[in-house]
């Protein structure tokens, strides 16, 4: 072959290669790394849209990605683990730069996490943890201390039941079965109330972190148990659903039944300020900016701490009145 045709072939090859790389980097296909604009491609698998907390978390992640100039691929798993596994496998196939996800339940992730590791794609856990023994399967876990949230809720109850005489009957609305927040909040609460033997959990069932679930399970609790003194709901939404059931049963929430919840989203804080809830342990959904920062670091191959805990507080009715006007979510 003469020199001229050889150059022509090389030029054609270069054009074809450039075309295929550009196609890989386009945000619809979601392929990473070598995209034309050099943006980091982050594949994120969200749990679902089950609660006000979740909506605020999704908004935080989308806004922070746009601000950080990160190309976000977002998938809503509708509270199903199989959908999350499918989304993660799609991200691996698309060769995204970083994968992040909030695991709906704690168990069953090792195989897909190993696939991501073998593909050389770093994984960040946000909000919820996995129970994998092999910590090398993910770079870091960014989120709340759910055991602490349960413990703070229980400690408030111990303190505020000091003057009660006789048994204090508690019903518990658990979050999604098998999820880290449901397991951990139950544990922390149980450990704290063990300090006072008159505090008794008489019923405990999952309301799946939804308002509808909270309402439905509270209706059953009210039918089955004539004396309920306290409701501990693992999130605001289930507590808000339960309010409807309590009111319909002719009881006054916040007075006849003391209500403790977790999250501190606006609607929950409003119920607290209105005297319908009695105490909320905060769980912050605003994880987006920290997640983007971590995505940039792990993509650059920088070391990151294996655990980053979210800063949180608690609210009484008076504190909710003060905080509500400036509440962001
Ligand atoms: O994982 C965080 C929990 O999930 C929030 O407390 C709850 O509202 C959400 O659905």
């Amino acid at each position: 072959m003469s020199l001229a045709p050889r150059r022509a072939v090389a030029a054609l090859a270069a054009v074809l290669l450039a075309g295929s790389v550009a196609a890989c980097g386009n945000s619809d296909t979601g392929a990473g790394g070598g995209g034309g604009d050099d943006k980091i491609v982050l594949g994120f698998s969200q749990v679902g849209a089950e609660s006000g907390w979740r909506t605020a978390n999704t908004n935080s992640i989308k806004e922070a990605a746009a601000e950080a100039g990160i190309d976000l691929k977002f998938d809503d798993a509708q509270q199903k683990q199989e959908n999350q596994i499918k989304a993660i496998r799609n991200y691996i196939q698309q060769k995204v730069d970083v994968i992040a996800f909030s695991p709906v339940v704690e168990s069953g992730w090792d195989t897909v996490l190993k696939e991501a590791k073998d593909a050389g794609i770093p994984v960040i856990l946000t909000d919820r943890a996995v129970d994998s023994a092999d910590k090398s399967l993910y770079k870091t876990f960014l989120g709340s201390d759910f055991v602490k949230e349960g413990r703070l809720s229980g400690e408030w109850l111990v303190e505020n039941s000091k003057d009660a005489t006789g048994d204090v009957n508690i019903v518990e609305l658990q979050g999604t079965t098998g999820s880290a927040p449901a397991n951990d909040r139950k544990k922390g609460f149980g450990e704290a109330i063990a300090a006072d033997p008159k505090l008794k959990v008489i019923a405990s069932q999952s309301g799946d972190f939804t308002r509808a679930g909270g309402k439905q399970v509270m209706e059953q609790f009210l039918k089955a148990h004539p004396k309920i003194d306290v409701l501990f709901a693992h999130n605001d939404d289930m507590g808000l659903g339960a309010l409807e059931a309590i009111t319909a049963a002719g009881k006054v929430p916040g007075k006849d039944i003391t209500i403790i919840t977790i999250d501190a989203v606006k609607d929950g804080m409003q119920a607290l300020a209105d005297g319908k809830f009695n105490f909320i342990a905060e769980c912050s959904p605003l994880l987006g900016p920290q997640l983007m920062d971590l995505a940039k670091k792990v993509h650059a191959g920088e070391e990151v701490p294996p655990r980053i805990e979210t800063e949180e507080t608690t609210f009484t009715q008076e504190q909710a009145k003060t905080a509500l006007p400036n509440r962001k979510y």
Side-chain angles (χ1 to χ4, degrees):
M1 200 188 279
S2 78
L3 202 59
R6 223 183 272 154
R7 269 206 204 114
V9 170
L12 181 62
V15 167
L16 288 174
L17 182 67
S20 73
V21 169
C24 282
N26 124 0
S27 63
D28 288 332
T29 58
D37 52 10
D38 276 343
K39 274 186 170 184
I40 294 175
V41 181
L42 171 66
F44 185 80
S45 166
Q46 179 61 289
V47 168
E50 74 281 4
S51 62
W53 188 100
R54 190 62 56 194
T55 304
N57 180 245
T58 292
N59 291 342
S60 170
I61 287 165
K62 288 185 174 173
E63 282 166 20
E67 242 165 65
I70 286 181
D71 184 0
L72 178 73
K73 309 289 161 202
F74 184 90
D75 184 82
D76 175 339
Q78 300 179 343
Q79 296 244 68
K80 290 195 173 74
Q81 183 174 34
E82 66 261 32
N83 290 347
Q84 287 201 295
I85 292 176
K86 213 159 118 191
I88 293 169
R89 290 206 166 115
N90 278 337
Y91 293 144
I92 295 171
Q93 216 175 19
Q94 292 169 15
K95 298 187 172 53
V96 301
D97 297 311
V98 181
I99 292 173
F101 77 115
S102 173
V104 61
V105 290
E106 284 190 282
S107 313
W109 299 101
D110 286 31
T111 307
V112 73
L113 287 178
K114 178 122 191 350
E115 287 165 22
K117 190 180 174 190
D118 290 347
I121 302 175
V123 172
I124 299 172
L125 303 179
T126 77
D127 162 37
R128 299 184 181 179
V130 298
D131 63 5
S132 303
D134 182 356
K135 307 289 177 217
S136 78
L137 294 177
Y138 55 92
K139 295 287 176 194
T140 184
F141 165 39
L142 164 69
S144 311
D145 181 342
F146 297 134
V147 178
K148 185 170 159 195
E149 293 167 353
R151 192 174 61 241
L152 291 171
S153 305
E155 283 170 359
W156 181 87
L157 184 59
V158 170
E159 185 57 32
N160 286 272
S161 307
K162 273 186 181 154
D163 299 333
T165 50
D167 284 351
V168 175
N169 289 346
I170 305 164
V171 294
E172 180 180 30
L173 280 168
Q174 293 181 41
T176 303
T177 305
S179 69
N183 294 342
D184 293 354
R185 288 169 183 169
K186 182 173 182 52
K187 180 173 186 278
F189 183 77
E191 284 170 3
I193 63 165
D196 184 345
K198 71 176 178 293
L199 301 178
K200 295 196 160 57
V201 177
I202 55 165
S204 181
Q205 207 180 302
S206 173
D208 213 11
F209 280 131
T210 65
R211 280 191 199 204
K215 181 177 180 213
Q216 196 201 331
V217 177
M218 192 67 204
E219 282 167 356
Q220 291 167 22
F221 285 162
L222 286 160
K223 273 186 202 140
H225 304 281
K227 181 181 175 298
I228 295 175
D229 302 304
V230 177
L231 163 64
F232 171 47
H234 286 192
N235 78 345
D236 286 344
D237 278 77
M238 291 190 295
L240 291 163
L243 286 184
E244 294 179 40
I246 292 168
T247 312
K251 294 185 190 280
V252 182
K255 294 208 162 56
D256 295 336
I257 299 181
T258 296
I259 301 178
I260 301 166
T261 69
I262 294 176
D263 276 356
V265 294
K266 253 190 196 154
D267 288 355
M269 291 287 272
Q270 188 64 60
L272 186 60
D274 292 346
K276 295 175 181 168
F277 284 180
N278 302 77
F279 182 77
I280 302 180
E282 186 185 37
C283 177
S284 174
L286 305 180
L287 304 176
Q290 277 171 293
L291 173 60
M292 299 312 143
D293 192 44
L294 287 167
K296 284 181 181 173
K297 286 185 172 150
V298 298
H299 180 57
E302 284 177 39
E303 281 298 309
V304 293
R307 173 76 171 104
I308 299 164
E309 211 179 293
T310 318
E311 277 177 35
E312 282 153 357
T313 185
T314 59
F315 295 97
T316 59
Q317 291 173 338
E318 284 313 306
Q319 288 165 334
K321 283 180 199 158
T322 313
L324 202 48
N326 301 319
R327 204 72 187 149
K328 287 200 189 75
Y329 53 90

